[in-house]
Amino acid sequence: MTRPQFFALLIFFTSILFSSKASMACQEIETQEDLLKEIDEYATKVHAEWNVPGMAVAIVKDGQVIFSKGYGVRELGVEGEIDGDTLFCVASNSKAFTAAALAVLVDRKQIAWDDPVSKYVPEFQMPDAYPTQQMTVRDLVCHRSGLDTFS
């Protein structure tokens, strides 16, 4: 596993831990400030226990960033602390996030896996008319579209 893949995996699993921690904390802590303080303390603990060079946490609620903080350094032996604006390579984790977001929309009956992509993105265009009309949301998520992602 490469270093960027490791960090992307760490970020992904940390986000899962934070979401479950936040869920539990919401039942016990009454104010948003208390909850954010609890999450900050938990992030500090996780950073130390996992012995990673650095990580960042951001929480967005109703389209507003309500918490953004970095922990540790960008690279061992190199100056530069992580802050709320540090960018991380997420590698292929964006695929999982995209699929999860689409699954939420499917669950809410706002889209369907087997609907054509053009229903939601009218400007979607493949080189030929048939695949343009027939390409489904499921096709894109399953990577069976034939689209070249590197061009």
Side-chain angles (χ1 to χ4, degrees), residues 14-70:
T14 302
S15 68
I16 291 170
L17 287 171
F18 284 137
S19 65
S20 63
K21 178 69 173 176
S23 180
M24 291 182 298
C26 284
Q27 298 167 7
E28 301 168 8
I29 300 173
E30 297 196 15
T31 68
Q32 178 173 296
E33 292 77 22
D34 290 339
L35 177 58
L36 295 177
K37 182 179 179 201
E38 179 80 14
I39 290 172
D40 182 36
E41 291 169 359
Y42 183 70
T44 300
K45 178 181 170 188
V46 166
H47 175 246
E49 287 179 358
W50 287 15
N51 195 30
V52 295
M55 63 185 217
V57 175
I59 300 173
V60 179
K61 179 181 178 188
D62 300 325
Q64 299 292 322
V65 176
I66 61 169
F67 183 85
S68 178
K69 185 174 177 182

Side-chain angles (χ1 to χ4, degrees), residues 50-140:
W50 287 15
N51 195 30
V52 295
M55 63 185 217
V57 175
I59 300 173
V60 179
K61 179 181 178 188
D62 300 325
Q64 299 292 322
V65 176
I66 61 169
F67 183 85
S68 178
K69 185 174 177 182
Y71 305 85
V73 295
R74 297 169 190 242
E75 185 177 344
L76 289 176
V78 179
E79 286 190 37
E81 291 188 359
I82 293 175
D83 61 24
D85 295 319
T86 302
L87 299 178
F88 290 87
C89 176
V90 297
S92 289
N93 286 315
S94 58
K95 295 173 189 171
F97 293 132
T98 300
L102 288 170
V104 168
L105 294 175
V106 169
D107 191 50
R108 293 178 180 171
K109 310 250 186 282
Q110 292 176 301
I111 68 169
W113 290 119
D114 295 316
D115 280 347
V117 174
S118 58
K119 178 176 180 178
Y120 306 106
V121 185
E123 60 275 7
F124 177 76
Q125 186 70 44
M126 295 288 289
D128 296 315
Y130 181 79
T132 299
Q133 296 165 355
Q134 300 301 312
M135 189 72 58
T136 66
V137 174
R138 185 184 313 267
D139 291 329
L140 294 180

Side-chain angles (χ1 to χ4, degrees), residues 146-151:
L147 291 172
D148 181 1
T149 59
F150 297 104
S151 54

